Amino acid sequence: MSLQSVIITGANRGIGLEFVRQLLATQSPPKHLIVTSRQSANPELDQLVSTNPDRLHVLKLEVKDYDSYDGFVQKVATIVGSDGLDTLVNNAGILIYSNLQKVTAEDMLKNFEINSVTPLMLTKALLPLLKSASANRKTAVVNISSKVGSVEDNTSGGGYPYRSSKSALNMITKSLAIDLKADNIRAIALHPGWVQTDMGGPNALITTGESVSKMLDTIRAINDKTLGDFLNYDGKPIPL
Ligand SMILES: NC(=O)c1ccc[n+]([C@@H]2O[C@H](COP(=O)([O-])OP(=O)(O)OC[C@H]3O[C@@H](n4cnc5c(N)ncnc54)[C@H](OP(=O)(O)O)[C@@H]3O)[C@@H](O)[C@H]2O)c1
């Protein structure tokens, strides 16, 4: 993967923000790095824009505001021009980890909408720009999933909304990989590890720095053998 024309959703904090930091710090940073936030201002992103004004673009996006997608895609198209879009990282997500006693239909639908439906709808909306890049270079859709969405790995039960939303995302990723293969667009689901963020909490095992650095290596190594796969941040396969 060339990572020259990239979108990261949910980039105002946590893993998404670390993707922005690390991509800008690489030897050949993306020519177009488009990152989304639903907040109007973020001091660190604002600072990064001031030092990378031609490269970094922060666009406002509430991922479940489907009516805003046309306008969003137009803005992205204007930024990337004929380069198209070679990497879409669907990172924005929420965690609702209710047990059997507490789970509600509302919890299930809310988690499913943000973690499963919106990555698919955004991918669909951005397909023309992905296809435009895939005509001449490697192109990928990277869905940030979670190991707790692995059916085989589930030995402790519970966590109904989050677990099932990420299992569904893994299935969506597999279908995308098959459907987009002919267009030379690869799709993978990626587990970032248990990461120290607002979502992962302070006791998580790894920092955003370690997670993102290894995920970037894994994304760069995407190939036809990893199509539709569910991979750990270090590139090792996780059973679906
Ligand atoms: N941290 C972990 O240990 C861990 C483990 C496995 C998988 N993951 C996955 O990794 C991804 C990033 O997690 P994280 O730990 O960085 O979480 P985080 O610190 O809670 O950040 C979540 C990001 O998603 C954005 N977001 C949530 N709902 C949104 C919406 N409706 N529209 C637009 N943006 C929205 C948030 O924006 P706001 O600031 O506006 O809320 C924020 O930027 C998620 O998909 C998560 O499921 C994390």
Side-chain angles (χ1 to χ4, degrees):
M1 291 298 309
S2 56
L3 290 165
Q4 278 309 296
S5 194
V6 179
I7 293 190
I8 315 278
T9 64
N12 55 299
R13 61 190 168 102
I15 291 167
L17 181 57
E18 183 64 21
F19 266 117
V20 184
R21 292 187 194 111
Q22 292 200 20
L23 281 166
L24 289 173
T26 55
Q27 272 194 332
S28 53
K31 182 175 170 192
H32 315 289
L33 178 55
I34 298 156
V35 306
T36 80
S37 167
R38 57 180 170 171
Q39 318 291 333
S40 34
N42 175 286
E44 184 167 350
L45 278 180
D46 294 346
Q47 168 63 28
L48 287 169
V49 169
S50 71
T51 47
N52 300 272
D54 299 327
R55 214 179 278 286
L56 180 60
H57 308 268
V58 182
L59 298 185
K60 204 164 180 188
L61 182 69
E62 158 59 66
V63 289
K64 66 180 180 201
D65 182 2
Y66 309 109
D67 290 343
S68 73
Y69 279 20
D70 279 352
F72 175 74
V73 173
Q74 273 306 319
K75 284 181 195 156
V76 175
T78 304
I79 293 165
V80 299
S82 60
D83 292 331
L85 181 68
D86 60 50
T87 313
L88 165 61
V89 181
N90 284 307
N91 166 74
I94 58 168
L95 176 141
I96 306 174
Y97 215 77
S98 326
N99 63 22
L100 186 55
Q101 285 69 40
K102 292 208 171 135
V103 68
T104 62
E106 194 190 353
D107 287 347
M108 293 296 293
L109 292 169
K110 213 166 150 186
N111 222 154
F112 184 65
E113 176 166 38
I114 302 302
N115 290 5
S116 327
V117 178
T118 70
L120 175 62
M121 291 302 122
L122 192 60
T123 303
K124 188 178 168 193
L126 289 164
L127 261 186
L129 301 181
L130 289 161
K131 285 184 183 172
S132 152
S134 73
N136 49 39
R137 66 193 192 280
K138 288 182 183 169
T139 299
V141 175
V142 177
N143 289 326
I144 303 299
S145 184
S146 172
K147 198 174 175 182
V148 298
S150 163
V151 173
E152 192 173 317
D153 190 66
N154 183 357
T155 53
S156 55
Y160 291 89
Y162 189 70
R163 277 191 190 279
S164 53
S165 71
K166 293 297 191 181
S167 298
L169 179 62
N170 294 345
M171 180 59 87
I172 286 164
T173 308
K174 184 79 187 187
S175 280
L176 283 173
I178 294 166
D179 292 343
L180 299 178
K181 190 172 180 210
D183 291 306
N184 199 27
I185 301 170
R186 295 155 172 89
I188 62 159
L190 197 48
H191 169 57
W194 183 21
V195 191
Q196 293 153 14
T197 62
D198 294 336
M199 185 185 289
N203 297 326
L205 294 177
I206 55 172
T207 61
T208 54
E210 181 177 359
S211 167
V212 169
S213 144
K214 294 204 168 128
M215 282 200 283
L216 283 173
D217 289 344
T218 301
I219 292 169
R220 287 190 190 97
I222 290 174
N223 58 56
D224 284 339
K225 288 189 192 126
T226 56
L227 277 188
D229 276 0
F230 180 23
L231 301 175
N232 196 29
Y233 62 103
D234 59 6
K236 296 199 180 84
I238 298 174
L240 288 165

